[in-house]
Amino acid sequence: MPAILPSINIDAPDRMLSKYFLPYQLRWIQDESPLCLAEKSVRIGWTFADALKNVRKRLLHKKRDYLFATKDAASAVEYMKIVQEHAAVFNFTKYILSLGEQSENISGTTPNGERFTVEMKFNYAKFDNGSRILAFSSNPYAMAVYGGDVGLDEFAKHQNPEKLWETAQGRTTWGYDLGIWSAHDGTDTLFYQFAQEARSGRGGWSYYRVTLEDAAALGLVEKINSVRGTKTTRAQFIQDLPSCIN
């Protein structure tokens, strides 16, 4: 029997979710693969979709955390604002016990045996079934003492992607899922290497590639216009934002 959330049947996204999300966003929301990689353009709503994906996933799974790592503290705060917005729109707010920011001194050992102690700030959402969303900045040690599903936002732009990947991969060895999405930042990044691997069908990735032109063709510009009351054309939108996909 399909799992049913408080107000959304998870197997019937076209009936409700398509009012808010575009086809490539819906695919990401629905994807339950253990390894997901999205090679994407800038500003096409990938992180927006990921927030709903993981609000829903926390509600469906008791005591299962989501560790979201992004490029800076401001982006972590923004992610949690999106979580709150989705909770309000889809009637999930009553299942969230608390939201806020927390600071902790954390000591531990990295996967390669290095000892560390760091002061860490993160934003959180705690659900009534014991699950949490924890949104970290780019500190690669931030999630080293936690276990859970992992999301690496704009991975190509992280200052220390090798260390972050090392830590993130360690979180998933206990059967948790890992998602990576980013616009490119050149061809000498770890993300570019993973994207090449995923394109060729290697590494077990569930693979996505969405250019700015793809997103526009699927209705992104019209969606933005309807939300913001603007009248931007697809051509104008594409001209103003580079695709950032090689």
Side-chain angles (χ1 to χ4, degrees), residues 27-28 30-39 46 53 150 152 165 177-181 191 198 204-208:
R27 284 185 58 209
W28 185 262
Q30 292 176 288
D31 197 335
E32 296 294 325
S33 304
L35 284 173
C36 296
L37 182 145
E39 195 180 357
W46 211 275
K53 174 178 183 172
V150 174
L152 303 181
W165 170 251
D177 300 333
L178 189 152
I180 301 177
W181 60 99
F191 178 73
W205 298 99
S206 177
Y207 172 62
Y208 299 77

Side-chain angles (χ1 to χ4, degrees), residues 3 189 210:
T189 67
V210 183

Side-chain angles (χ1 to χ4, degrees), residues 2 28 40 45 51 56 103 183 201 204 240:
W28 185 262
K40 70 174 192 66
R56 296 168 81 229
S103 180
D240 290 342

